[in-house]
Amino acid sequence: MIHHIEINVSNLKRTVEFWSWFLEEIGYRPFQEWDGGASWKIDDMYIVFVQAEKRFLDIHFHRGRVGLNHLAFHASSRQEVDEMTHKLKEQGMPILYPDKHPFAGGKDHYAVFFEDPDRLKVELVAPAESI
C-alpha cells in the first residue's frame, strides 16, 4: 500500500483550487497545509502538492517523459464516473479522449480522463464488477 505521493507543482494556488474539490468529492479530506504545500488524506494514504522552486519551473511537466504518467483513482460505480464527468464539464475542464469516453481505457474499463493545471493526467475509474 502506498503511504503518500508528493507532487511538485508550478502554481500551488491553482493546483489547490483544482485538486481540493476533486479529492474531497471522492472521499479525501484536507490533511496538512503550509505556505509551500497542502495535502489530502484518505485512510492511511495521503497526496501532497508542493510548490516547485523557481529554478525548476523552466521545464514543464509532460507525462510522456521519464517519470509519472498519470494518477488513477477508484470510483465506487459507473454512476460516480458519470457524475464526475458532468462536474468536470460544468467547471470547463476538458475530458480527454472524448471520442472514446467512457471507454478510452478499453471496452472493459469505464473511466473519465482529464488533466490537472500542470497537465498531469488524472483518471477516475469504475470497479470492474460495475461495468
Side-chain angles (χ1 to χ4, degrees), residues 47-84:
I47 300 175
V48 185
F49 300 97
V50 178
Q51 176 63 53
E53 294 179 35
K54 189 173 184 172
R55 65 188 172 124
F56 296 119
L57 294 176
D58 58 331
I59 299 176
H60 297 282
F61 172 82
H62 192 285
R63 65 180 169 267
R65 292 190 179 110
V66 173
L68 183 68
N69 177 276
H70 72 283
L71 291 176
F73 296 87
H74 289 280
S76 60
S77 64
R78 279 181 160 195
Q79 181 179 345
E80 185 179 9
V81 170
D82 293 342
E83 289 170 358
M84 182 59 69

Side-chain angles (χ1 to χ4, degrees), residues 17-35:
E17 289 171 2
F18 172 87
W19 282 99
S20 62
W21 78 267
F22 173 72
L23 290 172
E24 290 170 31
E25 282 282 330
I26 62 172
Y28 285 72
R29 66 184 189 285
F31 180 50
Q32 302 162 314
E33 188 174 348
W34 64 101
D35 287 343

